[in-house]
Amino acid sequence: MKLRPLTSYINSLLLVMLVFFVVLFNTTTAYSSSSILLIKPHKSIQLQKDCNINNGSACNLLGIIYQTGDGVAQSLSKAKLFYQKGCDLNDGQACLNLGNMYNDGNGVTKNLSTAFSLFQKGCNLDYALACSNLGTMYQTGQGADQDISTAAKLYHKGCDLDDGFSCAKLGALYVTGNSVNQNISSAVNLFQKGCDLNDGFACTLLGAMYYEGNGVSQNISSAVNLFQKGCDLNDGSACNLLGNIYKNGKQKAVAQDLFKAKNLYQKGCNLNFGRACTNLGIMYEDGNGVGLNLSNAKSLYQKGCNLKDNTACILLETFSYASDS
C-alpha cells in the first residue's frame, strides 16, 4: 500500500536551522587529515625505533597504524599504549587520538573525564582539533559542566590554529547569539575561513548564508557551489541540502534534476546523515525519479531513524502501520 507522501512536510523545515543544529553538537572523533597515512612496512620499523628513543610523533603514528590496521594486525590495545606514550611525550595529536578512544569507548572503557583531560592537554599543546573537541564538551555539557563562553574561547583558539571545524562552530555561535553577542558578519567571515581550510561543514554553513541572504547578498549559485564543495569534502548535510535544491529546482537558478538529487541523497546517506536517507526513502516510496520500491524506502527510513532523524522514525512508524492495515 502506497503511503501518503510527506515530502512537503519534510522539505518545509528551515534550511538554516537544519544545518546549524543537526551537526553542531557532534564531537569530532575523526582523525585529522594529517593522521591518515599509508605507511610502508619498513617505515613502521623506523617509527618503532624512533618511538623507543622517545619521539612522541613516531609513537602517535604507530598508534594510528595499529588502530587502523595499516600494514599490521589491528590492535586497539597497542594503539592505546602508543598514543599514551606519545601524549606523555607531549605530542598533542597523540593526546587527541587517545582522547577520542576514551570519548567513544573504542578499545577502552568509555570515560568522558579521561577524554576531557586528554583533549585539554592536547589543546594546551596547541593541537587545534583537541581544542575543538574540548569546546564541544563544554558546549554540550558532556564530560564538562556546560559553559558556552568557554566553548567559544576554545573554538576561537582552534580556529586561530587553522582548524576549519572550530571556525565553523564558532561562527554558528555568532549566528545564534548563544552566550556570545550575535554577529552575523563575523559568522560569515569564520565560515569563509573554515571553508578555505577545506572544512566541509563550514562550506555548508556559508552556503546556507548565501541561500538565505543572511549577512550576505542572496546568491543561489554561490550557495549551490558551496554546498557542492561541502559535499565533495564529505559533509553529508551539504549533500542532502544540495539534493533538496535539485529535487525541487530553484526558480531560474537551478533546474530540477531528480537524477542528481537521488545521487546526492545517496551520498549523504552513505555519510550517515540521517535526513538524506529519509529523503532518498521518500523518492523510492513515491517512485519520484527512481523506480517505485517500498522495500528500499523502508530500509532507508530505518537507517534514517537509527541515525536519529525523527522524521524517518515517523515515516517508518506510519509505513509499518499502513503495511499492517
Side-chain angles (χ1 to χ4, degrees), residues 172-211:
L173 290 180
Y174 278 122
V175 169
T176 61
N178 185 6
S179 297
V180 297
N181 292 327
Q182 188 179 50
N183 190 324
I184 301 300
S185 178
S186 291
V188 170
N189 290 336
L190 286 161
F191 296 153
Q192 184 67 67
K193 178 177 179 179
C195 186
D196 290 342
L197 289 166
N198 288 327
D199 180 76
F201 185 45
C203 297
T204 305
L205 293 172
L206 184 60
M209 303 298 273
Y210 276 102
Y211 190 92

Side-chain angles (χ1 to χ4, degrees), residues 6 12 14 33 45 56 91 102 106 112 141 160 165 171 183 223 231 234 250 258 264-265 304-305 319:
L6 297 178
S12 68
L14 290 174
S33 58
I45 295 172
D91 183 83
Y102 279 104
N106 183 21
L112 295 182
D160 286 346
F165 192 40
N183 190 324
C231 184
N234 292 329
K250 183 65 177 176
L258 296 178
L264 287 161
Y265 288 149
C305 186
F319 197 106

Side-chain angles (χ1 to χ4, degrees), residues 96-300:
L96 168 75
N97 289 339
L98 184 58
N100 284 335
M101 291 184 76
Y102 279 104
N103 186 68
D104 298 339
N106 183 21
V108 296
T109 302
K110 186 180 179 78
N111 189 320
L112 295 182
S113 177
T114 300
F116 176 91
S117 297
L118 288 161
F119 292 152
Q120 187 172 54
K121 180 173 182 179
C123 184
N124 290 340
L125 291 166
D126 290 338
Y127 197 75
L129 282 175
C131 300
S132 177
N133 285 9
L134 188 62
T136 301
M137 284 187 142
Y138 276 110
Q139 184 172 357
T140 61
Q142 296 180 11
D145 292 335
Q146 190 174 46
D147 186 337
I148 308 298
S149 295
T150 297
K153 291 175 183 176
L154 288 161
Y155 295 151
H156 197 294
K157 179 175 180 178
C159 185
D160 286 346
L161 291 168
D162 287 341
D163 172 49
F165 192 40
S166 292
C167 301
K169 290 190 282 188
L170 180 59
L173 290 180
Y174 278 122
V175 169
T176 61
N178 185 6
S179 297
V180 297
N181 292 327
Q182 188 179 50
N183 190 324
I184 301 300
S185 178
S186 291
V188 170
N189 290 336
L190 286 161
F191 296 153
Q192 184 67 67
K193 178 177 179 179
C195 186
D196 290 342
L197 289 166
N198 288 327
D199 180 76
F201 185 45
C203 297
T204 305
L205 293 172
L206 184 60
M209 303 298 273
Y210 276 102
Y211 190 92
E212 293 292 318
N214 187 13
V216 293
S217 298
Q218 187 179 45
N219 189 321
I220 302 303
S221 295
S222 292
V224 167
N225 290 336
L226 286 161
F227 290 151
Q228 184 64 65
K229 182 174 180 180
C231 184
D232 291 342
L233 289 167
N234 292 329
D235 179 58
S237 65
C239 303
N240 177 67
L241 291 169
L242 193 55
N244 288 345
I245 292 173
Y246 279 111
K247 182 179 180 181
N248 299 308
K250 183 65 177 176
Q251 301 171 351
K252 296 181 180 180
V254 181
Q256 184 182 49
D257 189 328
L258 296 178
F259 181 75
K260 282 186 178 180
K262 179 246 182 187
N263 288 337
L264 287 161
Y265 288 149
Q266 185 66 69
K267 181 173 182 180
C269 185
N270 292 344
L271 290 167
N272 291 326
F273 188 77
R275 180 55 56 86
C277 303
T278 305
N279 285 338
L280 183 58
I282 290 170
M283 292 186 76
Y284 277 110
E285 183 190 342
D286 294 344
N288 184 19
V290 295
L292 180 70
N293 191 320
L294 298 183
S295 177
N296 279 359
K298 186 176 181 180
S299 296
L300 287 160

